[in-house]
Amino acid sequence: MLDIKLIRNDPEAVKAAVARRGEDTSSIDEIVELDARVRAHMTAVDQIREESNRVSKEIGELYRNGETEKAEALKAGTEGQKENERQHADALAHLQATIRELLLNVSNMPSPEAPDGLTEDDNVVVRVEGYDPDAIADHQRVPHWEIGEQLGILDVDRAVRMSGSMFAMYRGHGAHLLRALISYGLDRNRDAFEEIRPPTVVKTDTMIGTGHLPKFADDAYHLERDDLWAIPTAEVPLTSMVAGEILDQADLPMRLMAHTTCYRREAGSAGRDTRGLLRVHEFDKVELYSFCTPEQAQAMHMEILERAENAIRDLGLAHRVLDLACGDISGAGTRTYDIEVFAPGADRWLEVSSVSWCTDYQARRANIRYRPEGEKGTRFVHSLNGSGLAVPRVWAGIVETYRQPDGSIRMPDVLLPYLGGLTEIPAPV
RNA sequence: GGAGACGUGGCCGAGCCAGGUUGAAGGCGCUUCCCUGCUAAGGAAGUAACGUCGUAAGGCGUUCGUGGGUUCAAAUCCCACCGUCUCCGCCA
């Protein structure tokens, strides 16, 4: 969430920034107004408590000295104070809860450098690599859901029978390829990132920490009986890993990576891009993540983007990098780069990574701070995340891109160490 | 799931049964200074976070797992929840 002090001191600037997303900013005015009332009640409560603390201490002293009568007299004088305090305290608590609720629903301020615009059409293409529409051969123009069926490596129909639409099942070499991609995604970042395998089902507080709740409750799977949520991305448990902690500056930047399954209801996108693996409710992903100081954040953003892009480049996939327009940046982000792979069979760009710099927006929610060296007090860390490898769409890109004239699929060189001798998925006989 | 024990500051650990100068003894760690050829040892002082008021110095408030309650007063008493540990049961 945003810093209430920042909103208090310069509401117009905050509104202007948030408005670039196309978001309604009227709640910010409301917050400012409620905040003033909060502080009035706060002062009142503090004064009442100060007085009551003082009197209590005095009573204690009187009892100790055996001056029971005086003590009783003082006690009698405290009547009514309690009710008075309670009224202010209740009003205060109520206002604070309201403010928090409002605050949780205000998105992060986009970076001044983020491109203007409200939709994905306004995203700026930073670079395109390996994309040549004229060089795409006919045998590559087969969508992966057809290839998957032909080769017996992807079985959507049976997955749908078990779990409903937008679920997939990988089989045989297809499942093996999936596993290879996960290992590949992790291993190539092992030089700097600590591998984590977190829980994939988490408490409500954990989801709030990253900004996925309350705003996007409809997009997440909820296990009502135990009040647990299936994570939409490893970003959720990774952020919460150090929730409430004060980190040593020496430990920053902290680099973490995790392979997890991710669950998304995709509530707003029913019927869109539903063929094959374009959009599924359950998928595997390797996530790259970092906590760092504000000073380190910009460089870390570039590092994660570079690592994610290199993984795609080394797989030999045509791709492009987008600088997202304000309106397309997810709630917690201040700036986001997307990586899209071109899938020649499906004939479209598929988002395979979203690399976001969240400033202290998530850290504030999850209360993650660090002690700056040579400075008093604490500061909130910055958090950054990016998909190191989103498996299904990369899988789709590979299967379509590497399809040979005979219908077999050659395996990218960089995956060979993970495929136990498999160099191609053979064509059906 | 059953029975019991327990959750205190960066860490360890008193205090809780008998509520009152306890924001919390003592120790470790850390910081600064002294001593010192170097290191070790030793001596002195300091060492939580958050909120709020204040230009500041500083004042006040909150926090002893979390949330309620009792009381003039709660780390201490009561209730609920969360978590940890031990034993039993079950189990990949």
Side-chain angles (χ1 to χ4, degrees):
Chain A
M1 65 186 134
L2 294 177
D3 186 357
I4 182 80
K5 285 184 200 153
L6 188 65
I7 295 177
R8 189 184 297 159
N9 294 335
D10 198 350
E12 293 312 314
V14 173
K15 276 159 72 178
V18 173
R20 292 183 70 212
R21 290 174 174 275
E23 224 171 78
D24 174 37
T25 59
S26 57
S27 64
I28 292 175
D29 290 323
E30 204 177 328
I31 289 169
V32 171
E33 191 202 311
L34 295 177
D35 177 55
R37 287 167 57 196
V38 156
R39 280 177 299 148
H41 283 294
M42 205 175 256
T43 308
V45 170
D46 280 2
Q47 281 169 354
I48 294 166
R49 283 188 184 158
E50 181 184 354
E51 173 66 12
S52 129
N53 285 344
R54 202 182 52 73
V55 171
S56 289
K57 214 169 257 187
E58 218 172 301
I59 293 175
E61 231 161 292
L62 289 172
Y63 271 122
R64 219 169 311 112
N65 298 336
E67 301 181 68
T68 317
E69 257 172 57
K70 277 190 184 173
E72 296 291 343
L74 262 185
K75 254 203 227 181
T78 61
E79 233 169 289
Q81 283 300 37
K82 198 169 201 179
E83 185 51 35
N84 192 12
E85 177 190 333
R86 164 157 244 133
Q87 275 180 14
H88 280 292
D90 284 350
L92 179 63
H94 180 74
L95 283 171
Q96 281 177 324
T98 310
I99 288 181
R100 184 174 164 80
E101 190 70 23
L102 289 170
L103 220 40
L104 287 176
N105 280 295
V106 177
S107 295
N108 199 358
M109 297 186 291
S111 156
E113 280 103 65
D116 286 322
L118 300 181
T119 71
E120 56 184 6
D121 300 326
D122 300 310
N123 295 339
V124 173
V125 178
V126 178
R127 56 181 167 269
V128 181
E129 278 190 37
Y131 175 61
D132 180 359
D134 300 328
I136 297 169
D138 283 345
H139 60 263
Q140 290 178 296
R141 294 194 181 277
V142 180
H144 64 271
W145 51 89
E146 286 178 22
I147 301 172
E149 200 174 331
Q150 284 166 13
L151 304 190
I153 56 175
L154 183 68
D155 190 339
V156 175
D157 292 345
R158 286 193 175 86
V160 168
R161 200 198 294 160
M162 284 185 255
S163 304
S165 70
M166 293 169 80
F167 282 90
M169 174 161 68
Y170 302 84
R171 304 185 64 165
H173 294 313
H176 193 176
L177 173 57
L178 175 144
R179 190 153 47 86
L181 282 169
I182 294 165
S183 295
Y184 165 76
L186 288 169
D187 277 356
R188 55 178 301 128
N189 295 299
R190 226 172 34 177
D191 59 307
F193 285 69
E194 181 191 356
E195 182 173 349
I196 308 288
R197 179 38 250 231
T200 53
V201 170
V202 300
K203 297 197 240 185
T204 298
D205 280 351
T206 309
M207 289 283 279
I208 290 175
T210 43
H212 289 90
L213 286 180
K215 222 174 173 181
F216 301 107
D218 284 348
D219 285 318
Y221 286 98
H222 186 208
L223 306 173
E224 284 186 16
R225 180 174 163 147
D226 298 294
D227 194 21
L228 292 169
W229 300 78
I231 59 167
T233 160
E235 182 191 335
V236 173
L238 289 179
T239 302
S240 301
M241 233 174 89
V242 291
E245 294 188 25
I246 299 174
L247 308 173
D248 283 337
Q249 179 161 3
D251 294 332
L252 302 177
M254 198 179 263
R255 293 180 177 86
L256 306 170
M257 62 177 173
H259 156 239
T260 66
T261 309
C262 303
Y263 300 91
R264 299 186 183 181
R265 289 187 68 236
E266 302 288 358
S269 46
R272 263 176 67 206
D273 303 335
T274 52
R275 302 299 309 270
L277 297 173
L278 295 179
R279 191 180 291 277
V280 283
H281 287 309
E282 175 184 340
F283 64 96
D284 288 280
K285 177 160 66 68
V286 173
E287 183 79 357
L288 300 177
Y289 198 95
S290 177
F291 293 111
C292 63
T293 68
E295 292 75 21
Q296 296 165 336
Q298 177 97 46
M300 183 57 65
H301 197 195
M302 290 305 110
E303 177 181 336
I304 294 176
L305 174 62
E306 192 177 309
R307 284 176 180 269
E309 187 181 3
N310 284 346
I312 296 300
R313 182 185 291 122
D314 291 349
L315 283 168
L317 299 175
H319 66 276
R320 64 182 184 183
V321 176
L322 306 177
D323 188 355
L324 295 198
C326 292
D328 208 24
I329 295 174
S330 65
T334 191
R335 195 157 196 210
T336 299
Y337 292 100
D338 271 8
I339 302 172
E340 294 185 339
V341 157
F342 188 74
D347 190 28
R348 66 177 80 192
W349 293 94
L350 304 180
E351 178 190 330
V352 297
S353 184
S354 200
V355 184
S356 292
W357 174 11
C358 299
T359 59
D360 58 3
Y361 186 87
Q362 288 178 329
R364 199 177 296 282
R365 287 186 182 221
N367 194 22
I368 306 168
R369 291 166 291 165
Y370 75 101
R371 251 179 250 283
E373 276 161 29
E375 227 180 273
K376 254 192 120 61
T378 58
R379 283 156 77 187
F380 286 106
V381 299
H382 278 205
S383 63
L384 300 105
N385 66 80
S387 333
L389 205 138
V391 173
R393 289 177 182 167
V394 172
W395 190 99
I398 290 172
V399 165
E400 294 178 10
T401 303
Y402 282 85
R403 187 164 188 266
Q404 306 300 303
D406 67 354
S408 67
I409 297 163
R410 186 162 71 78
M411 291 292 98
D413 290 344
V414 290
L415 290 183
L416 295 182
Y418 302 99
L419 288 168
L422 183 78
T423 56
E424 62 162 42
I425 298 176
V429 197

